[in-house]
Amino acid sequence: MNFEFTSYILPLLAAATISFFVAIYTWTRLSTRGAFALLIMSLSILEWTIGYSLEITGATLDTKFVWGVLQYFGIAFAPYGWLIFSLSYADDEKKLSPRFVLLAALIPSITILLALTTKWHGLIWSEYYIIQQGNFSALEVSHGIWFWVHFVYSYIILLIGAVLLVRTLFKRQGMYRGQIIAMLIAVL
């Protein structure tokens, strides 16, 4: 694998660092309500930002492709983590049955498998190539049908999680309201 440094990765590395420290902080408080979901979300974002950093620093199409595909571990599970976290934070944990948690993970799991094998079927990316603009190069893709399935699924569960937190905003008081507002701004 060949890499070339670009300053475009600096904000991504800052985001990865923040996600790393959120994951460590959350790991030390796993017994707290919603901590495991926050851990999933922060690790997903960490993996996604590192993968994207490596994709844009990749000097060859093969390097960019590998890291573009590997990002899907984070891409697929970040919205899932948000939904589970939102349900926990909104005190809707009774909805978090093992069956629901497994069913909600089905689309992200299929997405990862299809991303890893997209060269053979094109369901995530039907075409891919490098696009160059100035000193920035990235992987440009044409999306396959499953990409759009995952896209719709992700935005629906992001919306559901946001609606849950908006409902909770009116039930909570004090610092909890500020936390909810911050989370809603972050998801936007």
Side-chain angles (χ1 to χ4, degrees):
M1 290 196 182
N2 299 321
F3 296 96
E4 297 173 337
F5 176 78
T6 174
S7 60
Y8 293 107
I9 67 167
L10 297 177
L12 294 170
L13 295 177
T17 302
I18 292 167
S19 295
F20 176 74
F21 284 113
V22 169
I24 289 174
Y25 180 82
T26 306
W27 178 262
T28 63
R29 290 159 177 76
L30 273 180
S31 62
T32 306
R33 183 181 74 227
F36 185 71
L38 184 58
L39 180 64
I40 290 171
M41 194 168 43
S42 61
L43 289 174
S44 296
I45 294 167
L46 173 64
E47 191 276 339
W48 186 355
T49 55
I50 289 172
Y52 187 54
S53 296
L54 292 168
E55 174 196 322
I56 64 175
T57 58
T60 65
L61 181 59
D62 287 339
T63 301
K64 289 183 180 302
F65 176 82
V66 166
W67 290 106
V69 165
L70 290 176
Q71 288 173 64
Y72 270 86
F73 284 94
I75 290 168
F77 275 98
Y80 170 82
W82 169 254
L83 176 65
I84 303 302
F85 175 78
S86 298
L87 284 165
S88 295
Y89 198 87
D91 291 329
D92 278 343
E93 286 182 313
K94 60 187 173 286
K95 295 179 183 172
L96 289 174
S97 68
R99 178 185 165 116
F100 173 82
V101 170
L102 284 173
L103 286 175
L106 191 59
I107 298 288
S109 298
I110 292 170
T111 300
I112 290 169
L113 291 173
L114 292 176
L116 292 171
T117 58
T118 196
K119 274 188 177 181
W120 297 296
H121 49 68
L123 292 173
I124 298 292
W125 299 338
S126 56
E127 295 179 286
Y128 58 93
Y129 50 92
I130 293 177
I131 186 170
Q132 183 83 34
Q133 292 188 344
N135 65 348
F136 179 78
S137 72
L139 191 63
E140 182 71 21
V141 299
S142 297
H143 296 106
I145 189 71
W146 190 265
F147 169 86
W148 296 109
V149 169
H150 181 262
F151 178 86
V152 169
Y153 170 83
S154 293
Y155 278 93
I156 287 172
I157 66 174
L158 288 170
L159 178 63
I160 291 168
V163 167
L164 287 168
L165 289 184
V166 167
R167 279 190 359 204
T168 306
L169 179 65
F170 297 108
K171 296 178 187 175
R172 302 263 175 98
Q173 297 185 13
M175 73 173 189
Y176 295 111
R177 295 187 90 183
Q179 289 174 349
I180 293 169
I181 290 169
M183 287 185 282
L184 290 170
I185 290 169
V187 81
L188 288 175

